[in-house]
Amino acid sequence: MSWTRKVSCTPTPLRAGRLPDTPGPHPTGFALLPWLLLGMGSFSNLFQGETANPWIGGLGLLTFNSLYIYVSFRAFVKEKREARSTHVALGLLAAVTCGLGLGYGGSWLLFFPLLGLATGAVVRMPRLRLTGAAVTVLSGVVAFVRDGWGGLDIAYATWISTIVTAAILSLSEAVRELRAAREELARRAVEEERLRFSRDLHDLLGHTLSVIVVKSEAARRLAARDMDAAVAQVADIESVGRQALTEIREAVTGYRRGSLATELDRAHSALAAAGITPAFHQSGPPLPQQTEALLGWVVREAVTNVVRHSGAARCEITVSGGTERVRLTVTDDGTGTPVTAPREGIGGTGLRGMTERLAAAGGTLTAGPGPREGFVVTAELPVESAELTVATDSPEMPEPVRAGIG
């Protein structure tokens, strides 16, 4: 059976001196205000006395401009754009435009393309098709009534202004959302990398320092009556320290991979130094490297828990593998009292983090007091799983089984 290692997806750091692209300032209604110059012809007619009932025309022009500005500034905020008041204002704008077009015609018909701009800014797909068609037909009917077939150019201009405005604004919003999503992904990648590094150091140093403390206590006890045994314990401390330096270097580069056999050897040494009788049982066919790596972390954290918190006299580790699934059980005869809430400064609930990691690989984790005494940690994994590569190649490592490990 051949296994291929997938490349671990670690975030690429930002280049020095270069900031990520930002979406830039959000567009506002000021972008649509220059188009009000299309109404300058009507405004000129009022002052030149070419408009009948100039007071009504002036009031209509003021009302149109006020509604247009109101709609334009609300069109660039999604919540305001979708509000009922905005759509009511757009409907009133359409009514005022029809009234001015029917009443005066000529240059007053140019307000219909402005109505199209406001419609394209407010309405989005899929409602834009029906609304845009309705505004276009309305402008064509009013222009035909006033200026005959020559007024149909107004309908074409209204259709173009509606569709082009909606397309440009929709594209602009999509670009901004994509940039915001990219920045969010980059931010999360940095946070995940920091979490990975902190977990690496926490797990590596927590276990290693526990072993060093236990062996140092053993060396101190043996120094008075058996110097050779004490020297052997000191040699083990040196070996553990050197190995810890290697592991920390590997953790920094993100390439560290666990080994079940290595962790079982370390577990035997740590348990023996702590005065806990170790017992190992392993059966079944050889396991893939990915499965061994994940089970190795379970052994490391569970044994560290036993050494530091259980007060046990015996610890038994059983690995039983089958053709489809493998089970790891770590049992001690200690107090059997788990830490149910995370302590301050630990950095999270280790049991939950390890459970989620095994679940991502298609496995399960249970931990709690044994049926008679002590504490039992049971991890079960599929022998072959596509998720195992992702779970174990990732430099992130599980937190301790009990929240008290620190």
Side-chain angles (χ1 to χ4, degrees):
M1 183 181 300
S2 61
W3 292 81
T4 57
R5 173 184 172 92
K6 294 185 178 180
V7 178
S8 176
C9 297
T10 55
T12 302
L14 296 175
R15 295 181 181 179
R18 180 180 178 181
L19 296 177
D21 294 336
T22 57
H26 196 287
T28 64
F30 287 106
L32 299 180
L33 294 188
W35 294 101
L36 284 175
L37 295 176
L38 289 174
M40 288 300 296
S42 304
F43 189 76
S44 177
N45 291 341
L46 284 176
F47 278 91
Q48 293 177 4
E50 299 177 359
T51 302
N53 300 317
W55 288 106
I56 296 178
L59 182 61
L61 185 61
L62 177 62
T63 304
F64 178 90
N65 289 339
S66 300
L67 290 172
Y68 179 86
I69 293 173
Y70 177 80
V71 171
S72 297
F73 277 92
R74 294 178 67 85
F76 291 91
V77 180
K78 184 177 180 181
E79 293 77 11
K80 295 181 179 180
R81 181 175 65 238
E82 297 176 351
R84 181 184 297 272
S85 58
T86 304
H87 290 87
V88 170
L90 184 62
L92 293 175
L93 183 65
V96 172
T97 305
C98 290
L100 294 176
L102 287 172
Y104 298 107
S107 60
W108 294 81
L109 295 174
L110 293 176
F111 287 124
F112 277 105
L114 290 175
L115 175 62
L117 285 171
T119 303
V122 171
V123 183
R124 293 291 187 269
M125 298 295 288
R127 294 183 300 169
L128 180 63
R129 295 189 182 94
L130 181 60
T131 306
V135 171
T136 301
V137 171
L138 182 62
S139 64
V141 171
V142 173
F144 178 78
V145 170
R146 288 295 307 182
D147 294 347
W149 292 105
L152 294 183
D153 291 342
I154 296 297
Y156 177 76
T158 302
W159 170 255
I160 291 298
S161 64
T162 303
I163 297 303
V164 171
T165 302
I168 292 176
L169 294 183
S170 297
L171 180 61
S172 175
E173 291 177 357
V175 170
R176 290 181 59 82
E177 290 175 358
L178 288 174
R179 288 179 176 176
R182 183 176 63 182
E183 290 185 350
E184 179 66 16
L185 289 175
R187 184 187 65 81
R188 291 186 179 182
V190 172
E191 290 180 354
E192 290 176 0
E193 178 66 9
R194 289 173 178 171
L195 180 61
R196 190 278 302 178
F197 188 69
S198 64
R199 283 181 175 177
D200 279 4
L201 292 182
H202 176 273
D203 293 338
L204 290 172
L205 295 181
H207 173 78
T208 302
L209 294 178
S210 297
V211 174
I212 290 176
V213 169
V214 170
K215 287 185 172 292
S216 299
E217 293 175 349
R220 177 175 53 81
R221 292 194 303 267
L222 293 172
R225 62 177 185 271
D226 192 343
M227 183 58 65
D228 291 338
V231 170
Q233 293 293 336
V234 173
D236 287 344
I237 294 174
E238 180 182 1
S239 176
V240 170
R242 292 183 183 277
Q243 182 62 32
L245 290 175
T246 302
E247 291 178 348
I248 291 176
R249 295 190 187 101
E250 293 174 348
V252 170
T253 56
Y255 291 108
R256 187 177 190 281
R257 296 177 62 89
S259 169
L260 180 58
T262 301
E263 295 301 337
L264 289 175
D265 290 341
R266 293 176 181 174
H268 185 279
S269 177
L271 292 170
I276 302 174
T277 303
F280 298 155
H281 308 281
Q282 186 168 2
S283 61
L287 299 175
Q289 184 179 11
Q290 290 84 356
T291 306
E292 280 203 5
L294 199 52
L295 293 180
W297 281 113
V298 177
V299 171
R300 167 184 281 258
E301 300 305 336
V303 170
T304 302
N305 189 39
V306 172
V307 170
R308 299 191 62 183
H309 303 289
S310 68
R314 176 181 173 84
C315 178
E316 182 175 351
I317 301 176
T318 303
V319 181
S320 57
T323 56
E324 296 182 355
R325 299 186 71 84
V326 59
R327 172 177 293 184
L328 167 70
T329 304
V330 181
T331 306
D332 64 68
D333 59 356
T335 59
T337 303
V339 178
T340 57
R343 297 178 180 175
E344 183 178 358
I346 298 301
T349 304
L351 181 60
R352 181 179 61 186
M354 186 178 292
T355 302
E356 293 174 352
R357 190 173 306 281
L358 291 178
T364 59
L365 177 72
T366 58
R372 297 180 181 178
E373 59 182 3
F375 196 81
V376 180
V377 177
T378 302
E380 188 172 345
L381 283 170
V383 174
E384 297 183 14
S385 174
E387 295 294 334
L388 284 175
T389 303
V390 178
T392 56
D393 278 358
S394 172
E396 246 182 298
M397 293 174 291
E399 295 181 1
V401 174
R402 295 180 189 172
I405 299 176

